[in-house]
Amino acid sequence: MDQTSSQQKQTLDALVSVAFEKSWRFVEKDPFLTHNAEALLRARLRLHLERSLKMGEKNVLHLANNAIWNLRTELGRRPEL
């Protein structure tokens, strides 16, 4: 791997990390997702972030929002009243 590729990977990893932290603050309190194990939520959230990044999204806010939406679609359910 050349230096440019290494720098690009570090940049992409940093984007995922920042977007993860932004989205996790919402996900961990989301009543539609609380029935899921934390480890599952973290793994699936990271996967959704990485997929969006591979599709070309570079905006951290868009990455975070898309990952939350995808996670809620995949694992969410209505909270019990």
Side-chain angles (χ1 to χ4, degrees):
M1 183 182 309
D2 65 4
Q3 186 172 354
T4 302
S5 295
S6 178
Q7 288 172 339
Q8 287 175 335
K9 181 171 177 7
Q10 287 177 342
T11 300
L12 297 179
D13 289 345
L15 282 172
V16 168
S17 293
V18 171
F20 184 92
E21 291 305 317
K22 283 189 175 301
S23 54
W24 181 250
R25 283 182 259 152
F26 177 83
V27 167
E28 69 181 338
K29 296 175 182 140
D30 187 339
F32 289 92
L33 297 170
T34 56
H35 65 280
N36 294 285
E38 182 178 332
L40 173 67
L41 290 173
R42 287 180 166 278
R44 299 304 296 169
L45 181 61
R46 183 164 295 279
L47 179 72
H48 288 301
L49 289 167
E50 290 170 350
R51 282 184 182 161
S52 290
L53 193 62
K54 286 180 183 174
M55 297 293 287
E57 183 60 66
K58 299 284 191 291
N59 181 295
V60 171
L61 187 57
H62 291 166
L63 283 167
N65 287 338
N66 289 338
I68 292 166
W69 187 84
N70 287 325
L71 193 62
R72 290 182 99 201
T73 300
E74 176 188 9
L75 300 174
R77 71 172 188 214
R78 297 232 3 109
E80 295 177 19
L81 300 175

